[in-house]
Amino acid sequence: MGKWATGAGEGRKIFHALTNEALYAVTTEELPLAQSLQYGRDVGGKALANLTFQQRGEMLKAVARYLLAHKDELYAISAQTGATKSDSWVDIEGGIGTLFSYAGLASRELPDDTVWSEDEMIPLSKQGQFVARHILTSRRGVALHINAFNFPCWGMLEKLAPTWLAGMPAIIKPATASAQVTQVMVALILESGLVPEGAIQLICGGVGDMFNHLDFEDVVTFTGSASTGQKLKSHPRINQKSVPFTMEADSLNCAILGSDVQLESPEFALFIKEVTREMTAKAGQKCTAIRRIIVPKSQLEHVKQALLKRLSGVTVGDPAVDGVRMGALINLEQRQDVQDKVNYLLANGCERLCGGSFANMQVVGGDSEKGAFFPPTLLYCAEPFVHQAVHETEAFGPVATLMSYDELEQAVQLAALGGGSLVGSLITADSQVAQTVIRAAARVHGRMLILNEAASTESTGHGSPLPMLVHGGPGRAGGGEELGGLRAVKHYMQRTAIQGSPSMLTAISKQWMRGAEAIADVVHPFRKYFEELVIGDTLLTARRTVTEADIVNFACLSGDNFYVHVDKLGAEQSMFGERIAHGYFVVSAAAGLFVDAGVGPVIANYGMENLRFIEPVKIGDTIQVRLTCKKKIKKAQKKVEDKPNGVIEWDVQVFNQHNDIVALYSILTLVERRHGDF
């Protein structure tokens, strides 16, 4: 609630992953957690909801820049979790990159408004005076984000970016084992002064009775174990108030080696490299890590030997020591959990190929007893259709199980036995293999990577969720959905269908729609600066009669000699019965009618959208254009020397002498602003 507070009692201890030294105590006992919900709604929620999407996007960008400038503080404390430098890079700078990504989405695609009109006008009547559209508005609740320990920075920021962009405040509840990293990042955000009061709160420790005080406009997200997630999701208050609950759980992700890949194929080496990386990155503590390695029986021995050789070269120890490629698990408790799960798998149909126990393992620059180290562990299941444990039990560490298939159909079946996963990979050079596997297996995965030699140099890899792609999966993976570009923002907003006259809906959405009242002015709209243009400003142009010479000249100029334009006999046999004008000539002629040729505030044509040709334009037809200001998007001025501007979306209607519409589209123009931001 706007200040740092300490709970009562000793709390739960956080230990150094490499030395088991007690570092911090975490507790929320006797803190007013329920009140923090109301504080977020009343203070942070109101402030964020009053910002436009463009302003929220600028806020995300500013926060990202500030965190990037202070990343060394985050790297230093991230080392306490046993992470290597590359592990920390994914967590810290990968998370900051997500903020930048969503800031860019806001700048390019969202309105300079607090209401988001999701779609175009939906006609509901013959005369066009009863229409509808869907709008998105900010919920006046709080997003409670309960995160896992493995990505204390990225896990927070990948949820926080769309939450703030949606105009909602957030309460962050990190997993205790790595809460100190999240705490430093939240402290930096608050220190920056770039976010409104109450936009973010942090709870390190239990959530107390917060769930009892959730309301229907709040949102809960959870990342972690499926069992904990299901317990929270079934809380009576979640059902009573219909509180949106998104769960992303760890899953038994798989990598499939295509039946076409041979030992000498480039894809074979790619497969071995990808599996090894996903087994050892973050010491295997990734919700997207490869847990099941599915290969053709003919390549089983080759894959086994290649993986054993590659894994034997992975040096485990203190990441600060040169040459160390894999650090420790988060703590000794997690190490014991991994050991228990490995033991269970060994007792239920699996055999050990390497690793398998932390006892007496070799550690560089660390103590194998005090530190939470666990060796890269490769298991083998000879009968994966008989033993279900391998498809149901996840050792959340550097552990994966090798299994084989005879036919591609069996590979798909094995993938599905995982009960739903976040991501699956297929390594193949054969497009037919890719088509067969992906079409059959996509239903049980949230994301699928198809990797071959061509994609390998630029591929972000099996285990890397990207801001523009959906992160989540069915079944065991939680059935939730995060990221996916602007899809994620919509999860935190209320979608409402609004019905009424075009003029009423134009006033509500601040976007002109056809049939609404328009404003005619003696001043040409292209002579007006951004601030002077009003939604609904319209121009009805002069007329132009299309001649045979127009069609012939345009064909010569463009090189478009399609028969319906230039071949009289061919055109007579077409559905049109005679020659017609090129569609692009109609668009060009329309521009000639509505453009003001003089130097003025319009800087450039920014693009064209949703072009549709409705009726043909024939020789002798007369066309006319109505140009109307549909939407305005103010663009932030990045530098003092930059010319301040904004984007205007214009509705364009081209009609003929019978008032029949022949073409509809929107154009975007970059228009100068009179007043800058500096």
Side-chain angles (χ1 to χ4, degrees):
M1 294 190 293
K3 60 183 179 181
W4 292 103
T6 304
E10 293 186 2
R12 181 180 168 187
K13 287 186 171 54
I14 296 176
F15 298 92
H16 198 296
L18 304 180
T19 65
N20 201 37
E21 172 193 359
L23 299 174
Y24 312 94
V26 175
T27 177
T28 56
E29 291 297 320
E30 299 184 16
L31 292 179
L33 301 183
Q35 293 178 40
S36 69
L37 285 168
Q38 196 58 45
Y39 176 82
R41 298 174 190 133
D42 291 343
V43 180
K46 289 180 180 178
L48 285 168
N50 287 331
L51 298 177
T52 69
F53 289 100
Q54 292 289 312
Q55 291 170 327
R56 295 170 199 161
E58 286 300 311
M59 180 185 77
L60 291 182
K61 186 188 295 183
V63 170
R65 286 173 173 164
Y66 188 87
L67 291 176
L68 205 56
H70 293 79
K71 64 182 181 181
D72 290 346
E73 298 175 47
L74 295 164
Y75 274 101
I77 199 161
S78 177
Q80 298 174 353
T81 68
T84 65
K85 184 69 179 290
S86 59
D87 293 338
S88 295
W89 182 89
V90 173
D91 185 34
I92 296 166
E93 298 191 47
I96 295 171
T98 301
L99 291 183
F100 278 123
S101 180
Y102 273 88
L105 283 173
S107 174
R108 293 190 302 272
E109 301 187 39
L110 293 181
D112 187 25
D113 195 1
T114 58
V115 174
W116 179 358
S117 297
E118 188 180 22
D119 51 15
E120 295 297 320
M121 179 184 74
I122 303 168
L124 299 176
S125 65
K126 290 183 178 180
Q127 301 301 319
Q129 283 303 303
F130 186 53
V131 298
R133 78 184 317 172
H134 294 89
I135 61 170
L136 294 160
T137 53
S138 299
R139 293 172 175 268
R140 291 302 174 93
V142 172
L144 175 59
H145 295 313
I146 303 172
N147 295 325
F149 71 80
N150 51 341
F151 287 100
C153 295
W154 180 86
M156 174 180 72
L157 296 179
E158 61 105 6
K159 296 180 177 71
L160 198 52
T163 300
W164 277 349
L165 205 49
M168 279 192 85
I171 295 177
I172 309 299
K173 192 281 178 210
T176 295
S178 58
Q180 73 271 32
V181 188
T182 308
Q183 192 271 343
V184 170
M185 180 168 272
V186 172
L188 286 170
I189 292 172
L190 295 174
E191 175 188 285
S192 74
L194 295 169
V195 301
E197 181 70 31
I200 185 170
Q201 297 179 79
L202 175 73
I203 292 175
C204 296
V207 297
D209 66 345
M210 287 183 74
F211 269 60
N212 294 331
H213 300 276
L214 292 171
D215 212 339
F216 74 97
E217 290 195 89
D218 298 323
V219 174
V220 177
T221 69
F222 171 82
T223 300
S225 71
S227 58
T228 302
Q230 291 293 345
K231 181 180 178 181
L232 293 174
K233 190 175 183 179
S234 61
H235 191 282
R237 189 72 171 183
I238 297 292
N239 294 322
Q240 179 188 356
K241 291 291 185 177
S242 299
V243 177
F245 188 102
T246 297
M247 181 166 73
E248 187 259 287
D250 305 324
S251 59
L252 288 153
N253 312 295
C254 68
I256 301 171
L257 183 64
S259 53
D260 60 296
V261 179
Q262 304 298 312
L263 177 62
E264 63 275 9
S265 304
E267 283 73 19
F268 186 92
L270 287 174
F271 181 78
I272 300 302
K273 181 180 179 181
E274 193 73 16
V275 170
T276 305
R277 180 174 64 184
E278 290 303 320
M279 284 181 64
T280 57
K282 267 283 186 179
Q285 298 171 115
K286 293 172 61 179
C287 58
T288 54
I290 293 171
R291 305 297 180 195
R292 298 175 300 146
I293 309 164
I294 303 171
V295 304
K297 187 165 290 183
S298 61
Q299 297 300 317
L300 177 62
E301 191 60 32
H302 293 313
V303 171
K304 181 192 300 184
Q305 295 305 319
L307 282 175
L308 289 174
K309 180 179 180 181
R310 188 101 181 189
L311 290 170
S312 67
V314 176
T315 306
V316 181
D318 183 348
V321 177
D322 288 342
V324 170
R325 291 181 54 196
M326 191 179 91
L329 300 175
I330 191 70
N331 54 33
L332 296 183
E333 181 182 354
Q334 180 63 23
R335 183 178 73 172
Q336 188 58 52
D337 181 72
V338 173
Q339 185 67 74
D340 292 343
K341 297 292 174 54
V342 169
N343 292 343
Y344 180 79
L345 289 169
L346 291 173
N348 287 273
C350 294
E351 62 180 89
R352 186 187 75 86
L353 297 180
C354 72
S357 173
F358 62 81
N360 302 315
M361 65 176 292
Q362 295 296 313
V363 174
V364 176
D367 189 316
S368 63
E369 292 187 9
K370 292 181 179 179
F373 299 102
F374 199 91
T377 297
L378 183 64
L379 308 180
Y380 170 61
C381 181
E383 298 181 291
F385 287 105
V386 174
H387 299 288
Q388 292 302 304
V390 71
H391 306 296
E392 298 173 351
T393 304
E394 180 182 30
F396 200 67
V399 182
T401 304
L402 182 63
M403 59 194 75
S404 66
Y405 66 88
D406 291 312
E407 304 293 336
L408 272 180
E409 183 179 350
Q410 289 183 331
V412 172
Q413 292 171 353
L414 289 173
L417 284 175
S421 74
L422 296 172
V423 57
S425 283
L426 170 66
I427 288 76
T428 179
D430 189 321
S431 59
Q432 188 58 52
V433 170
Q435 183 185 104
T436 300
V437 173
I438 301 302
R439 281 174 171 258
R443 73 187 197 279
V444 294
H445 297 88
R447 175 170 59 89
M448 295 203 76
L449 167 68
I450 304 97
L451 190 62
N452 62 3
E453 185 180 21
S456 63
T457 55
E458 295 180 308
S459 169
T460 51
H462 166 99
S464 300
L466 298 173
M468 63 290 294
L469 302 182
V470 166
H471 180 50
R476 181 190 174 98
E481 183 182 296
E482 298 171 346
L483 297 176
L486 293 179
R487 294 169 64 97
V489 181
K490 296 179 181 181
H491 296 326
Y492 300 98
M493 305 192 77
Q494 177 59 43
R495 178 182 288 106
T496 305
I498 56 173
Q499 301 166 274
S501 70
S503 293
M504 283 295 186
L505 268 57
T506 291
I508 292 167
S509 65
K510 295 184 180 179
Q511 291 186 23
W512 187 85
M513 57 180 60
R514 291 165 191 146
E517 296 173 3
I519 305 165
D521 195 340
V522 294
V523 180
H524 192 288
F526 277 28
R527 308 308 301 169
K528 296 181 180 181
Y529 286 86
F530 182 86
E531 296 92 336
E532 296 167 341
L533 281 162
V534 177
I535 301 297
D537 267 353
T538 192
L539 169 71
L540 181 63
T541 71
R543 301 181 183 89
R544 172 170 177 169
T545 299
V546 177
T547 66
E548 181 181 15
D550 288 330
I551 296 174
V552 172
N553 288 335
F554 190 83
C556 292
L557 182 64
S558 65
D560 180 354
N561 292 298
F562 191 56
Y563 76 95
V564 297
H565 307 310
V566 299
D567 182 348
K568 182 178 179 180
L569 295 179
E572 287 176 352
Q573 298 172 37
S574 74
M575 62 181 288
F576 305 110
E578 59 183 291
R579 284 190 292 166
I580 62 171
H582 303 70
Y584 296 117
F585 167 77
V586 174
V587 172
S588 300
L593 290 170
F594 66 67
V595 165
D596 183 288
V599 175
V602 176
I603 301 169
N605 186 326
Y606 203 62
M608 180 185 295
E609 297 178 343
N610 304 314
L611 173 62
R612 293 291 183 273
F613 297 118
I614 312 299
E615 294 289 342
V617 175
K618 301 176 180 180
I619 297 171
D621 281 351
T622 298
I623 61 172
Q624 193 173 17
V625 183
R626 183 175 293 279
L627 180 78
T628 308
C629 179
K630 179 179 179 180
K631 184 166 63 175
K632 299 172 63 175
I633 302 175
K634 178 184 173 184
K635 307 294 285 186
Q637 185 181 1
K638 297 179 181 180
K639 301 176 182 177
V640 177
E641 59 270 24
D642 290 345
K643 183 178 289 187
N645 61 68
V647 174
I648 301 294
E649 180 176 347
W650 304 90
D651 177 82
V652 184
Q653 301 177 62
V654 187
F655 50 92
N656 62 20
Q657 67 272 21
H658 305 298
N659 285 324
D660 295 329
I661 298 293
V662 300
L664 294 172
Y665 54 99
S666 295
I667 61 165
L668 306 174
T669 58
L670 205 60
V671 178
E672 186 178 349
R673 290 193 278 126
R674 281 193 182 276
H675 308 292
D677 298 333
F678 295 95

